[in-house]
Amino acid sequence: MSTSLPAHSPTPALLKHVLLSEILAVTSTMRKNSRWASATPVMTVRDSPALGMNMGLRISSPAHQTRLSGRGNKEAELMAGFLELKRAVTHMQDVRDAVLPDLLAPFFSILRSPLSTGPITSAALSAMHSFFICGLISPESRAIDVALIDLSSTISHCKFEASDSSGDEVVLLKIMTVIQDCLCSAVGKHLGDIEVCEMLETVLTTCCQMRLSETLRRSAETTMHTLVRTVFSKLHYLDPEEEETKLQAAPTDEENDGELRMSVTPKEVVNEEIASSEADSEQTEKSDNLAQKLAAEPPSPPSPVNRPEYGLPSILELLRVLVNVLDPNDQQHTDSTRLTALGILNAAFEASGSKIALFPSLKSIVVDPGCKFLFQLARSENNMVFYWALRTISTILDTMRKDLKLQQELFLTFTIDRLAPPSSPNPAKTNTPALGAIKQRPYSPSTQPGTPAANSPLLKPVDKSDPEAGTVQTRVLVPPARGETRDLILDTLSLIAGHPSFMVDLYTNYDCDINCENLFERLIDFLTKAVYPSQGIGNLETQRNVQYICLELLLSFVNDMASRANGELPSVSWPTEFPSTDSLLQAKSRKQLILAGAARFNAKPKAGLAFLEENSLIYADLSPEVSKHLSLAMFLKGSSRIDKRLLGDFLSKQENGELLKEYIGLFDFKDKPVAEAMREMLEAFRLPGESQQIERIAGTFASTYFAASPDEIKSEDATHVLAYSIIMLNTDQHNKQIKKRMTIDDYKRNLRGVNDGLDFSAEFLQSIFDSIRKREIIMPEEHTGQLGFEYAWKELLARSRQTGKYMVCNTNAFDIEMFKAVWRPVISAIAYAFISFEDDYIIQRAIAGFRQCATLAGHFYLPDVFDFVVVSLSQATTLLSDSLPAEVPIYPIINIEGQSITVSRLSVEFGTNFRGQLAAVVLFNIVNGNGNALREGWTQIFEMFQNLFLHSLLPTRMLQMEDFLGGVTMIPLRGSRPSKSQARNDGGLLSALSSYLMTPYSSDMVVPDATEADVENTLSTIDCITSCRLDELYSQIIQLDPEALVAAVRALEALAHDRTVARLKITVEDTLHPIDDQLPQLPYDPASVFLLETMVSITSQAPQYIEELWPIVFEHLSALLSSPMQYSVLLIERAIVCLLRLCQILAHHVSLRDQVYVAFDLLACLPASVANLVGEQVIAGLILVIQKNGDIIRSQTEWNLIFALIRSTMAHPEAARMSFDLIEGLIAEGPDYSLSVDNFLGLLTILDDFATAASTLQEQQLHKRRRGEPLSSSNSLVISRGKKAVDIFPVLHKNLLSWMQLQMVDEPQAWKNMGLPLLSALGRQSINAAREIRHNAISHLQRILLGSALINDADQPKVEEVFNRVIFPLVDELLRDSVAARDPQGMAETRLRGSALLCKTFMHLELRETRATTDFRLLWIQVLDLLDRLMNVNRGDQLYEAVPESLKNVLLVMNAVEILVPPGAIQNELQRTLWLNTHERMERFLPGFLTEVIPIPPPDSLSTTD
């Protein structure tokens, strides 16, 4: 219906033709009517304009005369006007030279005349349309302004006789066409405000004519939308300041005001007349409607001189009319009318909504009452009204958001409340993550169908994101939306939240505003909960639609935040005119404290005050001017979160009198009427019900108010009485239970004489009475209906005057705080959608959401978030297993293209799980490169590794374990029953596995078949695992930062602990009665080995962090090695290998070297049965540690630990060989030489053990082969090592002498700790069962005793030590039959050597001139006892003869040095006693032998001597 202007300028001939053609069309239609069928107009000369003009006279045309005189309703004159116009035009060369009003006058007359019929009026309107189309009516036309005034007036008051309804509606349709031609074409700019209002009113009223057809009304609405867009578009070109100035300067008298008044009064067609804009003037009584006056008598057109173009006045009037129509409490308008107005209003805001806010006059209408009515309509039960209300609200908020901060808060709060899931009688408990619980609200149906209920929700809502804030509810309860209503609300919310900065704006404007609700948190809370299924919100399709929309909003929020973090969106700096980001974040923190404090105060005031004081929310501003009571009063008055009912009760308590005084003193009562002062105070808190409390409040008010020097009140007592009277008057006038209400006379009578003995003036009391009667004092939380709504809206407007503009900025300054507040429920919702939804687009968006959340977690360094993403995705992969089998099942192995593939249950199931594969790829791609952001999530990662390992799906590199002996090998998946086998003597991997099969499965196991489908699914699984790049992730782990690396190792340790220590504990507890006191043993578990190897491999490859990782790993290793008999041998061996591998690293860190010996001590304490199996690995690792870190051993204690470890593994042949090689290297001169004072005794002991081991082996061999040839160093490595060990003793002795010479050790210490133990060891080995060792030992012992500087010149105690601890025990042992049985053929020789050693040592140590006075009688007697036994042990052997000979030599030497002197000689007491004792003892086994060797001199010789 829009006007199409000619593409080129029309020719005069064409314009003339069009004009004449339209005249003919109208007159032809007129002649078809009976009124003009026979009428022949007779024109007099006086009436002829053409003739008058030719004669030079100024004569107005009949049309003008008709219009001016009001006689245009005559039939003849209507026809005559066209005939005269036709005659005048016929002689014109260019009709554009004519005055446009004259050309159009006959057409206007027809349109105004009630005599016209529908067809005639239709023809005239068609003519007008043609004139616009062809350009006859154009901006260049003469007197265009006057013509447009006439046109507006004529169209707005067009009348015709009604005929058939369809024809009449065609006329109305053409009227709207002409109006659109006029207003939307180039000539529209010549219209004034009055003309625009008339035209808009005409079309608007047509839209609301319910008796008109639906088609016509819809057409009228379409036209109206076009007109409104055109009119409001004018705002883009108007200067707001200039237009507002003009508007304020315009006259305000009733006449001018009436010209610009529009109305919408839908009425029925009456008296067979249709009015397109309104009924006849007789049918209406609105005196301020100019259009109605024109209907009765068309006025003279106003002068066009200096008439301004239409602008702000007409737009303002149109907006006022449209907003007034929306009032849901105005019964004059129906829902159909409101629906029309909503559509028009929406079109207006779509055209120029952003400009409306620039014009204060327009903005004030939108803010109030526009938003007020719209928000009430947003609860309409009429779906169409409801939809258009939501659409209009969304448009207004989109275009005027900056000026509607609190209005948007109200609407969003209402929206979230209505979208909250309806409560069920028995709500099921769910694990849906959320920010806070949303309380359900009772539903109260609307009292008026088609319109919203009076208790529409508004104003400062309770902070639902904070559970503590839920104790005060200032919002009116709303019913939950259902069905289509719910969908519409949700779609509207999605539309409003469509721009990237929406969530940021919510957070900065509301969550960071103490007086506003936490809208951002509440919205996210709702959206995340709505992604999960909920009962009572419709069928499955409806529910899924809700879930999709909410998820899309969440994902958009995450996407926008990620875009800001990644710099994909232009960086927007926070505007300087806004409050600083720091101040907003501080306000947010303070808000949370205030919410918590207010909630505690509402529950228990004393606890609340303590919390507020603790957090410096009160009493922090104390000063001489600010007391504690004043500080508290300021907080209570300024906080909207305090329960107003509780506040009134708290303030009016007797003990809080001073606080009440300070609180009321905060009100400014200066120059305020007493009724308004009472209203202001009582709207701040709920008046308590107890009379004494009311008395305190009234008394305190009276004191404060009277101090402000009010007029007319004489005293404070008078004020007190007056305050009480106002409270009573308010109750009397507005309590529905009171039937007989107080009159003004009653009120005056009650207050007679209370003003300090005088009466108040009648005017004073009348003003109080009228104020209370007309406006009830609404106490907080007292009303809910329309009064409550009006009070709440008033409060909102009051707040809006104090709050700033709505801040819009797509900044990233708040993203971290926003993300930290909501990440958990957001990720949970995305994970649920990913797992549950089938839509590919949703799945793709969810994947993107996961990636973006992970990106944000890394960007903001929030490991908890990254962990949560990993946990959520890992659950979606299905690669986590609640219970892994202790024994790996038998799976078929297929060879495909030279590659062995295990077809397991997991590989088949995972190959069919496309969503799980997606989750796995996304998960590992996210973790790859972002490992430093991961903490607890490593548990899930390694759990999946473990599961994949058990199903042979991990890369080969991750399946290997490192060994000291044989490099690397694969971790076996299964273990078999132990089988008897030869102990291995060669070096190689896993010496402890002689009882285990190294192949994955035994050859006798039945392997199931794999189908082609299973193989195909397995290949899909392998492709997916390959895409996950697990080996890359494994490589990245060792490069992690310390914190992330520690977390990874902790995760591995926890998993390994569960499969070993924890499982063993459960097994022990389940074993009630162990058989034969044997502890239960866990079977071989490949997963525990895999976890252990992975943990130690990671630790070994990150030696720089060994200090942090060692305690974690050692805790697990020590737990295993503390109960080695209860785990599989392979696991224990791997634990030992791992421990020693780590010891190599520990040795390089000085601060951790003590931990090496802690580990050695743990290994040394292994049971012999275990040590025998794992000894080779232990010694191999020990050797590596010592060889690579020779300086690590620095004390005797440390050496002792080394030797204890060696000693514990000596039973293992290969370990013994390696150990002895190590010892030889330590003692031998060379690079590994390490013999020292600290390790001397330890080496001596271990060498002694090697020799003893040879003896033990010899004895065992003797028992096995009694008649066989004994073992020797040539045929036994053990004997050879024993012999070498004994031969090393002299080397030790030599080094000891060297140290003593160099004074590296003092002599007593050297003897006690080294010399004597050395001699004792040689003495013990002198009875070794191996002959070679025994003889070597006794030879070494004799050489040392007879030639060592260690015991040369030894004092008697040392000599006695030699005999008592070395010689005597040796000889005594040689005399034992059990010792002799060790080597029956060779022991006689040893005894012979022993006797010789005894005698030689005695002679060497005791028989010296220097020791002649030494008392060694006891020692000598012991020697004789042993010689006696030696001689008589076997009378047939050589000893029987050798002992007397050796004894003879001893006696001769003793005599020679005058120690043993016969009685005939000169003797001292010592010599005499020694002789007697010797003689007595020798007589027992060699009678007469002593005197034979040393004859007793005869008496004469004695005398001679004397």
Coordinates of all heavy atoms in Angstrom, one line a residue, residues 280-300:
D280 N -20.4 9.9 14.6 CA -20.9 11.2 14.5 C -20.7 12.0 15.8 O -20.6 11.4 16.9 CB -22.4 11.3 14.2 CG -22.7 10.7 12.8 OD1 -21.7 10.7 12.0 OD2 -23.8 10.3 12.5
S281 N -20.6 13.3 15.7 CA -20.3 14.1 16.8 C -21.4 13.9 17.9 O -21.2 14.2 19.1 CB -20.2 15.6 16.4 OG -21.4 16.0 15.8
E282 N -22.6 13.6 17.4 CA -23.7 13.4 18.4 C -23.5 12.1 19.3 O -24.2 12.0 20.3 CB -25.1 13.3 17.7 CG -25.5 14.6 17.0 CD -24.8 14.7 15.6 OE1 -24.1 13.7 15.2 OE2 -24.9 15.7 15.0
Q283 N -22.6 11.2 18.8 CA -22.5 9.9 19.5 C -21.3 10.0 20.5 O -21.1 9.0 21.2 CB -22.2 8.8 18.5 CG -23.3 8.7 17.5 CD -24.6 8.3 18.1 OE1 -24.6 7.5 19.0 NE2 -25.7 8.8 17.6
T284 N -20.7 11.1 20.7 CA -19.6 11.2 21.6 C -19.7 12.4 22.4 O -20.3 13.4 22.1 CB -18.2 11.2 20.9 OG1 -17.2 11.1 21.8 CG2 -18.0 12.4 20.0
E285 N -19.0 12.4 23.6 CA -19.1 13.6 24.5 C -17.8 14.1 24.8 O -17.6 14.9 25.7 CB -19.8 13.1 25.8 CG -21.2 12.7 25.6 CD -21.9 12.3 26.9 OE1 -21.2 12.2 27.9 OE2 -23.1 11.9 26.9
K286 N -16.7 13.7 24.1 CA -15.4 14.2 24.4 C -15.2 15.5 23.8 O -15.0 15.7 22.6 CB -14.3 13.2 23.9 CG -14.4 11.8 24.6 CD -13.1 11.1 24.4 CE -13.1 9.8 25.2 NZ -11.9 9.0 25.1
S287 N -15.2 16.5 24.7 CA -15.1 17.9 24.3 C -13.7 18.2 23.8 O -13.5 19.2 23.1 CB -15.5 18.8 25.4 OG -14.6 18.6 26.5
D288 N -12.7 17.5 24.2 CA -11.3 17.8 23.9 C -10.9 17.2 22.6 O -9.7 17.2 22.3 CB -10.4 17.4 25.0 CG -10.4 15.9 25.3 OD1 -11.4 15.3 24.8 OD2 -9.5 15.4 25.9
N289 N -11.8 16.6 21.8 CA -11.4 15.9 20.6 C -11.7 16.8 19.4 O -12.9 17.0 19.1 CB -12.2 14.6 20.5 CG -11.6 13.8 19.4 OD1 -11.2 14.3 18.3 ND2 -11.6 12.5 19.6
L290 N -10.7 17.4 18.8 CA -10.9 18.3 17.7 C -11.5 17.6 16.5 O -12.4 18.2 15.8 CB -9.5 18.9 17.3 CG -9.6 19.9 16.1 CD1 -10.4 21.1 16.5 CD2 -8.2 20.3 15.7
A291 N -11.2 16.4 16.3 CA -11.8 15.7 15.2 C -13.3 15.6 15.3 O -14.0 15.6 14.3 CB -11.2 14.3 15.0
Q292 N -13.8 15.4 16.5 CA -15.2 15.3 16.7 C -15.9 16.7 16.4 O -17.0 16.7 15.9 CB -15.5 14.9 18.2 CG -15.0 13.5 18.5 CD -15.0 13.2 19.9 OE1 -15.1 14.1 20.7 NE2 -14.9 11.9 20.3
K293 N -15.3 17.8 16.8 CA -15.9 19.1 16.5 C -15.9 19.3 15.0 O -16.9 19.8 14.4 CB -15.0 20.2 17.1 CG -15.0 20.1 18.6 CD -14.1 21.2 19.2 CE -13.9 21.1 20.7 NZ -13.0 22.1 21.2
L294 N -14.9 18.8 14.3 CA -14.9 19.0 12.8 C -16.0 18.1 12.2 O -16.5 18.4 11.1 CB -13.5 18.6 12.3 CG -12.4 19.5 12.6 CD1 -11.1 19.0 12.1 CD2 -12.6 20.9 12.0
A295 N -16.3 17.0 12.8 CA -17.4 16.2 12.3 C -18.7 16.9 12.3 O -19.5 16.7 11.4 CB -17.5 14.9 13.1
A296 N -18.9 17.7 13.3 CA -20.2 18.4 13.4 C -20.2 19.6 12.5 O -21.1 19.9 11.8 CB -20.4 18.9 14.8
E297 N -19.1 20.3 12.5 CA -19.0 21.5 11.6 C -17.5 21.7 11.2 O -16.7 22.1 12.0 CB -19.5 22.8 12.3 CG -19.4 24.0 11.4 CD -20.0 25.2 12.2 OE1 -20.5 25.0 13.3 OE2 -19.9 26.3 11.6
P298 N -17.2 21.4 10.0 CA -15.8 21.5 9.6 C -15.3 22.9 9.8 O -15.9 23.9 9.3 CB -15.8 21.1 8.1 CG -17.0 20.3 8.0 CD -18.0 20.9 8.9
P299 N -14.2 23.0 10.4 CA -13.7 24.4 10.7 C -12.9 24.9 9.5 O -12.6 24.2 8.6 CB -12.7 24.2 11.9 CG -12.2 22.8 11.6 CD -13.3 22.0 11.0
S300 N -12.6 26.2 9.6 CA -11.8 26.8 8.6 C -10.4 26.3 8.7 O -9.9 26.1 9.9 CB -11.8 28.3 8.7 OG -13.2 28.8 8.6

